[in-house]
Amino acid sequence: MLLSVLTATVVLQTTPMPREVTLPSEPAALSGTLVDAGPDASAALIIAGSGPTDRDGNSPLGVSAGTYRLLADDLAAQGISTLRYDKRGVGQSAGAMVAEADLRFSHFVDDARAWAGLLREQTGQSCVWLIGHSEGSLIAQSVAAEDPTGICGLVLVSGAGRPAAVVLREQLSGGTPEPYLSQALTIVDALDAGETIDCPPIFAALCRASVQPYVISWMDVDPAALAAQSALPTLVVQGSTDIQTTVTDAQALAGAREGIELAVLEGVNHVLKTAPIERTANLATYADPALPLADGVVPTISAFILRPRETQPQP
């Protein structure tokens, strides 16, 4: 019994404890969670995907998988500190939202860059890793492309490898009936050309007047081009049963230049859970926070981050 108590005490003392951190911003501060694995631990910033996604990877749009919380906890167990945060306008960062018509993709890039700087300060590391998930992958790439100083490397998880307009056309063509398909494709073509349009109410999520400037700024970024110009160590992670991004996207990123590593994880979906390709069962995992991350996710990411620097592949 005494041995059990002592063991439990050691575990409690060595388990990294999450703590709240804030980042000054206008019109209000941003909020996040730091899990510090120790003074010598590598550190990674977890950058969320699109929409109203919070620091844990959850969204009021039907996602409660807890993906980023699970990832942070599992990486801490491997000796990697993480910082994850509520996006501008979400959760405890809700007050930092600017008017939707003024929002641009660059706002999220600037926020991620500032969080990376705060993570360096909080952990004492000279550089930190950027783990971008879904649209966060593109944000991570954009941060590194503008200034790689203080960035160890990139882990691009479930990210698009082609411009957003290309992916949207493909997704729409996969199941949108006429006459809506033709209308939707015309809208995408106009926004891709940088043109604002009159938006039919049925397509408000894509092209309402206040969101068009953001969509245009997002479509202007080419992920494969960003991957080609970066010299940082880069790992692309893609699940084979992801129904939002595809292995084709991952291959586009990994093939952008020599030295980018690609890991395709069998049976892993967009929220990094084990799932079949069948849509209903796949989506069921999006609402199951008790379901752990798929077995290969954390070992793949942690092995790449913890690899001795001198053996990192050189582009």
Side-chain angles (χ1 to χ4, degrees), residues 224-248:
L226 290 178
Q229 72 185 56
S230 173
L232 292 170
T234 301
L235 171 67
V236 175
V237 180
Q238 178 66 41
S240 69
T241 57
D242 190 326
I243 56 176
Q244 293 183 243
T245 55
T246 66
V247 173
T248 299

Side-chain angles (χ1 to χ4, degrees), residues 2 9 21 76 89 113 130 137 144 148 155 170-171 192 198 220 238 242-243 276-277 287 296 309:
L2 179 59
T9 301
V21 289
R113 182 185 302 106
L130 304 183
S137 169
V155 180
E170 183 178 279
Q171 291 175 342
D192 191 27
D198 291 329
D220 197 38
Q238 178 66 41
D242 190 326
I243 56 176
I277 194 67
R309 300 297 293 277

Side-chain angles (χ1 to χ4, degrees), residues 39-293:
D40 298 322
S42 297
L45 179 70
I46 299 173
I47 306 173
S50 61
T53 306
D54 69 17
R55 72 186 77 185
D56 291 338
N58 299 329
S59 163
L61 302 179
V63 181
S64 55
T67 297
Y68 306 153
R69 174 184 56 78
L70 293 169
L71 181 59
D73 290 345
D74 290 351
L75 288 176
Q78 299 298 315
I80 298 172
S81 300
T82 61
L83 195 160
R84 63 192 195 275
Y85 58 96
D86 291 333
K87 293 171 62 177
R88 182 175 295 270
V90 177
Q92 296 301 308
S93 300
M97 187 61 175
V98 299
E100 186 174 69
D102 295 330
L103 186 67
R104 301 293 185 273
F105 182 76
S106 60
H107 280 97
F108 296 122
V109 176
D110 292 342
D111 289 344
R113 182 185 302 106
W115 278 116
L118 181 66
L119 180 57
R120 287 194 298 272
E121 293 174 7
Q122 292 284 321
T123 60
Q125 298 298 311
S126 60
C127 69
V128 298
W129 294 84
L130 304 183
I131 302 176
H133 176 250
S134 194
E135 188 183 57
S137 169
L138 190 59
I139 293 171
Q141 289 183 270
S142 299
V143 170
E146 291 181 11
D147 184 3
T149 305
I151 307 300
C152 304
L154 306 176
V155 180
L156 310 178
V157 185
S158 307
R162 298 162 293 165
V166 174
V167 176
L168 279 173
R169 291 187 191 100
E170 183 178 279
Q171 291 175 342
L172 290 165
S173 299
T176 308
E178 291 291 3
Y180 304 113
L181 176 59
S182 295
Q183 288 180 276
L185 293 177
T186 298
I187 290 168
V188 171
D189 289 345
L191 295 174
D192 191 27
E195 303 169 2
T196 56
I197 56 170
D198 291 329
C199 181
I202 194 172
F203 296 114
L206 172 64
C207 63
R208 61 187 180 277
S210 60
V211 82
Q212 287 185 41
Y214 177 84
V215 174
I216 290 170
S217 71
W218 170 49
M219 287 183 172
D220 197 38
V221 186
D222 184 342
L226 290 178
Q229 72 185 56
S230 173
L232 292 170
T234 301
L235 171 67
V236 175
V237 180
Q238 178 66 41
S240 69
T241 57
D242 190 326
I243 56 176
Q244 293 183 243
T245 55
T246 66
V247 173
T248 299
D249 287 292
Q251 290 170 336
L253 286 174
R257 64 166 170 83
E258 291 293 325
I260 297 178
E261 297 187 42
L262 172 62
V264 177
L265 305 180
E266 290 300 321
V268 177
N269 71 357
H270 196 70
V271 293
L272 310 184
K273 307 292 182 81
T274 299
I277 194 67
E278 192 276 320
R279 187 174 184 84
T280 300
N282 194 301
L283 290 175
T285 69
Y286 285 52
D288 189 354
L291 191 65
L293 298 182

